[in-house]
Amino acid sequence: MRGIAPRILGERWGRWLLNLYPPLLFQRVRIVEIREGFRYCRVEVRRSILTRNLNGSTFGGAIFSAADPFYPVMYWQIFARRGCRVRVWLKSAAVDYLKPARSALSLEFRLDGEEIERAALALEREGRFTARYRTDAVDRHGEACATIETEVYLRLPRPAETDLWAF
């Protein structure tokens, strides 16, 4: 297992694949930008007939979908670039809906070098790492319509695990 190199996606290719991923595509979640070796990602939730709820505002599930996969994908790709395979997923999340979203929403995800080094050190010492992040879903007027808190879990693969990867 250690002899198999982790799969590395280019930023452009990763953005393209994520934009075609059905749970994001049908929720009108669009990855606008990925840069800095997957240390930054900007996402937009577009308004459409598919994302409106009964009140005419953006459906909460679409907002949650926009926050769900990005920190795990970012960590996966950052460690792949270091030659390290990790298992990573969203362990938990909580959404606080602050006001109805009546325009497109923008969400930004960032990982700084210090946080990545903390993760690398924890993986080396303990074989696992957990971190919490807060992301705001901001409307076109710059007002937060929702705040999403996510907890990301990373661990090193166990020797008995088979090579099951999404891409």
Side-chain angles (χ1 to χ4, degrees), residues 33-167:
E33 183 176 17
I34 295 175
R35 65 173 196 250
E36 300 167 23
F38 279 83
R39 291 176 186 225
Y40 175 82
C41 181
R42 186 166 54 93
V43 174
E44 184 177 272
V45 180
R46 295 178 173 178
R47 293 209 7 108
S48 79
I49 191 75
L50 297 175
T51 62
R52 285 194 195 123
N53 63 21
L54 295 174
N55 298 315
S57 60
T58 302
F59 174 60
I63 297 170
F64 180 78
S65 293
D68 183 346
F70 296 101
Y71 279 115
V73 169
M74 291 164 69
Y75 269 115
W76 170 51
Q77 282 301 295
I78 288 166
F79 280 97
R81 283 168 170 67
R82 293 177 168 211
C84 180
R85 281 184 173 257
V86 293
R87 299 286 193 214
V88 57
W89 60 85
L90 189 68
K91 184 176 179 183
S92 67
V95 182
D96 187 13
Y97 299 102
L98 306 172
K99 66 177 237 170
R102 304 215 182 270
S103 71
L105 298 173
S106 180
L107 294 85
E108 291 185 343
F109 305 90
R110 287 185 174 85
L111 290 172
D112 64 25
E114 186 176 304
E115 185 72 9
I116 295 164
E117 291 310 313
R118 279 188 341 113
L121 187 59
L123 286 170
E124 185 179 313
R125 288 183 179 168
E126 303 167 24
R128 59 189 158 88
F129 174 75
T130 305
R132 291 187 169 274
Y133 298 97
R134 179 185 161 160
T135 305
D136 290 329
V138 179
D139 67 12
R140 291 192 183 187
H141 304 290
E143 296 181 41
C145 294
T147 298
I148 305 99
E149 292 198 19
T150 56
E151 183 177 22
V152 180
Y153 179 80
L154 289 82
R155 71 170 168 80
L156 296 175
R158 295 183 181 116
E161 288 180 330
T162 60
D163 190 26
L164 300 174
W165 295 95
F167 301 112

